[in-house]
């Protein structure tokens, strides 16, 4: 079974292009399935005084033991770009986790 993803849109609606980007990024990280069970992705459109939208994207990883690991917040004028940045950070985090030796308790 693959990794799941929950997406929440705040102040904006889902578009086919944005959904496709999120799915493409999810598929890119499927190789880390042994470490994860789910992603929580929040995409929020913020309205700047200039009238230009700014998209704030937050990504959390849910581990196999149901622990929540926040990745961070990424903002861009383009929602797809902000999603890519969040998933790039997640990939870096997961690569480091995969290299780390397992801690014994």
């Amino acid at each position: 079974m693959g990794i799941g993803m929950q997406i929440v849109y705040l102040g904006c609606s889902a578009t086919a292009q944005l959904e496709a980007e999120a799915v493409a990024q999810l598929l890119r990280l499927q190789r880390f399935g042994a470490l994860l069970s789910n992603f929580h992705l929040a995409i929020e459109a913020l309205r700047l005084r200039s009238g230009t939208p700014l998209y704030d994207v937050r990504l959390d990883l849910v581990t196999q033991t149901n622990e929540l690991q926040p990745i961070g917040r990424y903002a861009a004028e383009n929602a797809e770009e902000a999603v890519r940045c969040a998933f790039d950070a997640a990939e870096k985090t997961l690569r480091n986790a995969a290299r780390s030796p397992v801690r014994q308790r």
Side-chain angles (χ1 to χ4, degrees), residues 1 11 16 35 38 56 78:
M1 196 142 107
L35 301 172
N38 206 347
D56 180 60
N78 178 283

Side-chain angles (χ1 to χ4, degrees), residues 22-97:
V23 169
Q25 296 303 318
L26 173 67
L27 292 174
R28 176 168 72 112
L29 299 184
Q30 286 293 319
R31 69 183 184 271
F32 297 106
L35 301 172
L36 300 172
S37 65
N38 206 347
F39 286 99
H40 293 168
L41 177 64
I43 303 168
E44 182 174 6
L46 306 172
R47 303 285 177 224
L48 301 178
R49 289 182 190 213
S50 66
T52 304
L54 181 70
Y55 294 92
D56 180 60
V57 171
R58 294 174 301 280
L59 181 65
D60 298 323
L61 307 178
V62 181
T63 68
Q64 290 290 349
T65 58
N66 291 319
E67 294 177 50
L68 192 65
Q69 182 178 359
I71 292 299
R73 299 175 72 156
Y74 298 88
E77 290 180 6
N78 178 283
E80 291 84 5
E81 179 184 343
V83 167
R84 279 190 297 275
C85 288
F87 275 88
D88 287 347
E91 181 177 26
K92 182 178 179 181
T93 297
L94 291 165
R95 270 197 321 257
N96 289 338

Side-chain angles (χ1 to χ4, degrees), residues 11-22:
C12 60
S13 299
T15 64
Q17 185 175 349
L18 187 51
E19 291 273 330
E21 183 63 42

